[in-house]
Amino acid sequence: MKKILILIPALLFFFASCNKDISYLNEDTKRSSTVPSYTLFSNGQRNLSDYLATPNVNTNIFELISQQWTEVTYVDESNYDLGTRSVADNWWRALYKNVLIDFQSARNLIPDDVTDATQQKNELAMLDIMEVYTWSVLVNTYGNIPYTEALDAANLFPKYDDAKTIYYDLLSRLDADITALDASGDSFGGADLLYNGNVDSWKKFANSLKLRMGITIADFDDAKAKSVIESAAPGAFTSASDNASFTYYVATPNVNPVWTNVVQSGRNDFVAAEGIIAIMNANNDPRREAFFTGKGGNNDSAFVGGVVGRGNAFPSYSHPSDLVEQPDFPFIFMSYSEVEFILAEAAERGYNVGGTAATHYTSAVKASLDFWGVSAADAAVYLAKPSVAYATAAGTYKQKIGIQKYLSLYTNGFQTWVEQRRLDYPVLIAPPTALSGYPVRFTYPVNEQNLNSGSWSAAKMNMGGTDAVETKLFWDKF
């Protein structure tokens, strides 16, 4: 036996010496050496949807910051703690590395993968719309960010561009994309996980995104907002069938990350926040049953919200509904309801968008009620309530629109956070042990401070001299 063992290494040495090039041993024969552009486009869409939909507190805490949900035991994020789990770092890395890099890689491959000129233009325009969406999320999270020098592996120290300059460039890119889209040609087809390659739908999505970005800057630059919105309104969504909706499925791994992080993981980490429950209870809102369970579960008719930032016993409060936790519950990038709220506000500001603020507001609320399965009869009762009807609801147009928009954006925590900062409604409750004032932006990642300190220091100075969560972005004037 000993002689055999001695021979084995000798034989290995013999065979190795006969073939000095052993690099083939590093080849993964089961992995493709080339990647089609369309798979990268699909993957970028999926990743972006997952990051915007997930309740994983290591990445996405926007439903907690905007106080639609609050935490049960681990209440760090409800108290505006972005540091313990490096949330700001993880969000930055997720969008740059796992979304924008995929889109950039797809962009580089499309000219080689697609020979038809019209199809190539369509695919590049659709890709750019997704990039614009992602860049707008980054700007609306941090303010000044790497943009013109970003995504270049050879540039380890990219400069930070001015947030307003980026934002206006994104609007110009959308204009070019809308012009480039040509319904006579093909596109990504089934690899497009939003619209199955429908060019007309992408035009509507681009115009609707343009509306959103236009209204975001309305307090900062009314003339620019007016121009952007008036040009986009005729081409935006006209019904819920136009929604930019990402479809999930009942079988893993293609499931909504809410199901993965809550149901599959067996965690009872979140309950409804007291503020949103108070708003809905005051108006006997028929969406409550779709948003949340009753206090003791689905058979309990009492809806009770937990105190934001304090430990809350899970059985004592309402929590996200079974509907919201379904594995195939969709994520909505943008909805017809949101478009109608934008048009209502635009009408109030005197922009030429057709209709009145009241008609657009009513259409917006009704579209939200329809999405959540509220019957026509119950919707009519709700819309007739003096506290809901546009003519009689309390407050300024920002309060009326802000509160109903806050409800309609439920499950899109990021956009809820944007609108709450912009419209300042509903008024949120300060957590009892908050680590800071209300976060109106994320601080920059620690890695940026350590590894790209020159650019980080310049960005900080250009945003008022401090990298703080209370530093308002350029469009947040009030």
Side-chain angles (χ1 to χ4, degrees):
M1 179 64 71
K2 291 181 180 179
K3 291 180 180 179
I4 295 173
L5 291 173
I6 291 169
L7 283 173
I8 290 173
L11 288 170
L12 290 174
F13 176 79
F14 171 76
F15 286 119
S17 65
C18 292
N19 185 5
K20 293 182 179 180
D21 182 8
I22 60 172
S23 61
Y24 72 93
L25 295 174
N26 292 322
E27 293 178 6
D28 186 347
T29 58
K30 296 182 179 180
R31 180 172 295 181
S32 174
S33 59
T34 59
V35 180
S37 55
Y38 62 83
T39 62
L40 291 163
F41 179 69
S42 302
N43 202 55
Q45 288 183 314
R46 163 67 184 269
N47 285 342
L48 182 57
S49 179
D50 281 358
Y51 289 130
L52 289 167
T54 186
N56 189 310
V57 293
N58 294 293
T59 305
N60 182 337
I61 62 172
F62 301 111
E63 270 155 337
L64 301 175
I65 292 177
S66 60
Q67 297 185 7
Q68 293 187 328
W69 294 3
T70 193
E71 291 164 297
V72 172
T73 303
Y74 308 105
V75 297
D76 301 324
E77 291 71 34
S78 296
N79 282 294
Y80 310 150
D81 181 354
L82 277 63
T84 296
R85 293 187 178 88
S86 302
V87 177
D89 302 57
N90 295 336
W91 185 246
W92 177 285
R93 187 181 306 110
L95 297 186
Y96 272 111
K97 179 182 177 183
N98 297 334
V99 178
L100 286 172
I101 286 291
D102 273 356
F103 289 145
Q104 181 194 56
S105 300
R107 177 188 294 278
N108 293 337
L109 291 170
I110 285 173
D112 293 328
D113 288 354
V114 181
T115 56
D116 181 80
T118 304
Q119 181 178 345
Q120 187 179 121
K121 284 175 62 180
N122 283 337
E123 291 189 3
L124 287 169
M126 294 172 183
L127 176 69
D128 198 61
I129 293 164
M130 292 306 305
E131 288 182 327
V132 168
Y133 193 108
T134 309
W135 284 117
S136 71
V137 171
L138 280 164
V139 170
N140 288 337
T141 302
Y142 300 95
N144 299 351
I145 55 170
Y147 177 64
T148 56
E149 295 184 2
L151 310 179
D152 180 1
N155 184 357
L156 300 180
F157 311 107
K159 71 174 183 179
Y160 286 51
D161 294 274
D162 172 68
K164 174 200 164 187
T165 304
I166 298 170
Y167 212 81
Y168 284 33
D169 184 63
L170 296 176
L171 287 167
S172 296
R173 286 171 63 170
L174 282 178
D175 284 336
D177 296 333
I178 291 166
T179 300
L181 288 168
D182 184 347
S184 70
D186 292 328
S187 67
F188 286 107
D192 166 24
L193 304 180
L194 287 185
Y195 291 115
N196 201 38
N198 187 296
V199 177
D200 287 331
S201 294
W202 274 94
K203 276 196 173 186
K204 290 184 178 183
F205 180 34
N207 276 294
S208 300
L209 179 56
K210 190 175 165 184
L211 278 182
R212 175 194 281 177
M213 294 180 66
I215 204 67
T216 301
I217 61 172
D219 285 338
F220 171 76
D221 188 345
D222 183 71
K224 177 71 172 178
K226 183 176 188 293
S227 172
V228 168
I229 288 171
E230 289 181 353
S231 67
F237 296 162
T238 56
S239 73
S241 64
D242 296 324
N243 287 355
S245 176
F246 190 92
T247 301
Y248 288 102
Y249 297 93
V250 295
T252 57
N254 301 309
V255 294
N256 189 304
V258 174
W259 182 85
T260 305
N261 284 272
V262 177
V263 180
Q264 186 183 47
S265 299
R267 300 187 67 91
N268 294 327
D269 290 340
F270 307 110
V271 295
E274 59 183 335
I276 190 171
I277 291 294
I279 293 169
M280 301 186 88
N281 282 346
N283 294 318
N284 198 24
D285 195 307
R287 289 168 290 192
R288 283 178 305 180
E289 292 83 355
F291 284 18
F292 303 109
T293 67
K295 173 184 173 182
N298 289 323
N299 296 323
D300 194 324
S301 60
F303 292 87
V304 181
V307 177
V308 172
R310 192 190 73 185
N312 296 283
F314 187 79
S316 300
Y317 300 98
S318 299
H319 49 83
S321 69
D322 290 346
L323 173 63
V324 170
E325 293 180 353
Q326 287 297 308
D328 59 345
F329 188 78
F331 175 76
I332 309 298
F333 280 97
M334 192 163 185
S335 70
Y336 168 60
S337 176
E338 184 182 349
V339 164
E340 285 292 338
F341 278 121
I342 293 168
L343 295 177
E345 184 177 345
E348 279 283 9
R349 290 177 179 270
Y351 302 168
N352 182 21
V353 293
T356 66
T359 57
H360 287 301
Y361 167 92
T362 301
S363 295
V365 177
K366 187 176 186 306
S368 175
L369 296 168
D370 289 345
F371 175 82
W372 291 100
V374 176
S375 70
D378 287 343
V381 170
Y382 181 73
L383 285 163
K385 291 177 179 291
S387 55
V388 174
Y390 196 74
T392 53
T396 64
Y397 75 84
K398 284 191 173 183
Q399 181 175 345
K400 297 177 186 185
I401 292 171
I403 289 174
Q404 286 296 329
K405 197 171 188 180
Y406 176 83
L407 297 174
S408 78
L409 286 168
Y410 182 62
T411 70
N412 187 335
F414 179 80
Q415 195 57 34
T416 303
W417 181 50
V418 172
E419 296 301 331
Q420 199 287 325
R421 286 180 285 164
R422 191 179 68 80
L423 293 169
D424 299 309
Y425 287 98
V427 177
L428 301 181
I429 303 165
T433 56
L435 297 188
S436 67
Y438 184 67
V440 292
R441 65 178 288 271
F442 277 11
T443 51
Y444 293 121
V446 173
N447 275 347
E448 285 293 299
Q449 300 175 35
N450 293 334
L451 304 178
N452 192 14
S453 58
S455 298
W456 168 75
S457 296
K460 181 178 69 169
M461 293 307 297
N462 290 334
M463 291 188 62
T466 179
D467 184 7
V469 297
E470 296 93 348
T471 301
K472 289 189 173 186
L473 303 187
F474 76 96
W475 48 258
D476 191 1
K477 304 300 293 183
F478 302 108

